[in-house]
Amino acid sequence: MTNYSVSVAAGVLWLSMGMVGVAQAQAAPDTAAADVHASAMIRQDAPLQYVVKKGDTLWDIAKRFLNNAWQWPQIWYANGQVRNPHLIYPGDVLSLVMVDGHPRLMLGAQTAPPAQPATEAEVKLSPQVRESPLNAAIPTIPIDAIRDFLSSPRVVTREQMHEAPYLLTFLDEHLVAGSGSRAYIKNLTDKRYAGYSLVRMGGPYIDPDNGDLLGYEATPVGDAEVDSYGDPGVVTLTATTREARAGDRLIAVDAHVYDANFYPHAPDKKIDGSILAVFDGVTQIGQYQVVALSRGSRDGLDAGAVLTIMQHGQVARDPVAGGEVKLPGQPAGTVMVFRTTPRVSFALVMDETRVVHVFDRVVTPSATTTLQ
């Protein structure tokens, strides 16, 4: 099962005030905004200095200085003499200065980074989320908002669904059960895994643009540890989030380390997709809610990619010519991708200025678009 290492990192680029001469500017991503002068990115009310505080996120700090937080990579220097240039800690001082006529954000006085914990040996493949200490580097986005999406698969393919072992019945003959219960599992014969994610298959994710099947929603039920392999085998349910029932599937997830060392940026490629689903059982979408997108890593998305939400255009009646006119969509918010699969991504809503719904578009942000 998956071990997700959440190194709560910020993607901040370190630069000592005394190292300007040896620092090199980080290359900006190849986006439509690459040729925008940096001074146009800076907010008019941006502070000259900011002291990083516990509880800050990189997104919040970027918004203090920038009109568009995704333009972050274009105003930072990378200090090659720092072992990890992607970390910033509470107590660090960020300064807005001019370098060769361009505004840049630099790191001034800084606290010593906390000692890194010793590497923990892998004992078995079982789902868990490991966190850094509270005094570690600030996160790019609120980790609590995405925690439930790090320890369980959320989208599965048709092949995974067909091949996955499934819950047959419970040893105590209950119809539903929770943590601590034991269950018979059909087709539990793969001995490579000591633990599984127990999921409930939801509906299909269909690309609204072409009708392609992108995968199936997998709703997490809990975790299961194998007691004995066989057909049927036996498992014990652990850390359940909802009642398990017959037909729930066991999905084996390859060992993987979740890397939270990312920073906000525009995608390298032009993206034009849709919001497929919003989680938590709501119909309207607000800040810090997780959404599924119809584009994935094969389309050029990665962790930290920021997209603009375009609200579906309304239809207005033409009072002169008659008939109806489809109005152009309006920017309604921003999302940041934090986890990708080849065809579907999961993103956190960072800002929303208009009502957002499922099937609204998500597109590569424009340097000239500022949410209002």
Side-chain angles (χ1 to χ4, degrees):
M1 190 60 63
T2 308
N3 276 330
Y4 290 100
S5 177
V6 181
S7 55
V8 185
V12 171
L13 308 176
W14 296 82
L15 182 68
S16 170
M17 293 295 286
M19 297 298 297
V20 175
V22 298
Q24 294 180 341
Q26 179 183 352
D30 183 15
T31 70
D35 57 351
V36 177
H37 195 278
S39 60
M41 305 176 190
I42 305 298
R43 293 172 56 107
Q44 292 186 352
D45 59 350
L48 296 180
Q49 282 194 335
Y50 179 72
V51 179
V52 180
K53 301 177 178 59
K54 185 181 295 185
D56 280 343
T57 66
L58 177 56
W59 179 266
D60 293 335
I61 290 176
K63 286 185 62 179
R64 289 179 179 272
F65 291 94
L66 296 167
N67 291 314
N68 295 304
W70 56 266
Q71 292 173 322
W72 174 269
Q74 301 181 46
I75 64 169
W76 281 88
Y77 280 112
N79 184 355
Q81 294 194 6
V82 176
R83 188 172 73 173
N84 191 338
H86 298 288
L87 299 177
I88 184 173
Y89 296 89
D92 289 334
V93 179
L94 306 180
S95 299
L96 182 61
V97 299
M98 297 296 292
V99 178
D100 295 329
H102 300 284
R104 292 286 185 260
L105 277 174
M106 295 182 175
L107 190 69
Q110 61 191 59
T111 58
Q116 296 297 317
T119 302
E120 186 176 338
E122 299 287 346
V123 177
K124 65 177 181 178
L125 297 175
S126 57
Q128 59 179 319
V129 176
R130 288 183 285 121
E131 301 175 54
S132 297
L134 292 178
N135 63 343
I138 65 170
T140 303
I141 55 180
I143 294 298
D144 283 345
I146 64 173
R147 188 182 309 278
D148 291 342
F149 287 77
L150 303 181
S151 58
S152 178
R154 288 290 183 141
V155 59
V156 292
T157 65
R158 186 194 301 272
E159 292 74 20
Q160 282 178 302
M161 184 178 67
H162 178 72
E163 298 172 1
Y166 57 89
L167 198 157
L168 191 61
T169 188
F170 298 100
L171 270 67
D172 56 12
E173 300 183 357
H174 287 171
L175 296 179
V176 296
S179 180
S181 297
R182 303 179 73 206
Y184 290 109
I185 303 297
K186 186 69 173 175
N187 301 327
L188 188 61
T189 57
D190 190 342
K191 297 183 179 181
R192 292 179 298 170
Y193 300 95
Y196 288 81
S197 285
L198 186 67
V199 302
R200 185 162 301 146
M201 297 302 171
Y205 285 137
I206 303 295
D207 190 333
D209 295 325
N210 53 28
D212 285 354
L213 174 64
L214 304 178
Y216 291 86
E217 181 181 353
T219 302
V221 174
D223 303 322
E225 294 184 354
V226 177
D227 296 331
S228 61
Y229 299 93
D231 191 13
V234 177
V235 301
T236 297
L237 305 183
T238 61
T240 54
T241 58
R242 50 179 47 84
E243 290 183 329
R245 62 192 185 200
D248 289 343
R249 304 274 178 158
L250 271 67
I251 302 295
V253 183
D254 292 335
H256 173 74
V257 175
Y258 178 77
D259 184 5
N261 291 342
F262 57 83
Y263 53 85
H265 61 276
D268 290 340
K269 298 180 180 179
K270 182 179 179 180
I271 302 295
D272 186 356
S274 298
I275 296 176
L276 294 174
V278 57
F279 297 91
D280 296 330
V282 297
T283 56
Q284 293 187 355
I285 302 170
Q287 187 181 38
Y288 296 153
Q289 287 183 303
V290 176
V291 293
L293 309 180
S294 66
R295 300 292 182 263
S297 57
R298 74 171 192 173
D299 303 296
L301 290 179
D302 60 353
V306 176
L307 299 170
T308 297
I309 304 170
M310 297 297 293
Q311 190 180 53
H312 265 308
Q314 299 178 344
V315 176
R317 186 179 182 279
D318 190 327
V320 177
E324 295 182 335
V325 178
K326 179 69 178 294
L327 303 177
Q330 295 296 321
T334 53
V335 297
M336 186 191 296
V337 173
F338 64 86
R339 185 176 177 185
T340 62
T341 70
R343 307 187 73 181
V344 175
S345 293
F346 298 97
L348 191 67
V349 177
M350 305 307 301
D351 301 293
E352 45 90 23
T353 57
R354 291 181 172 87
V355 176
V356 178
H357 298 92
V358 172
F359 299 129
D360 280 349
R361 307 299 295 179
V362 286
V363 301
T364 301
S366 167
T368 59
T369 300
T370 301
L371 296 178
Q372 296 180 353

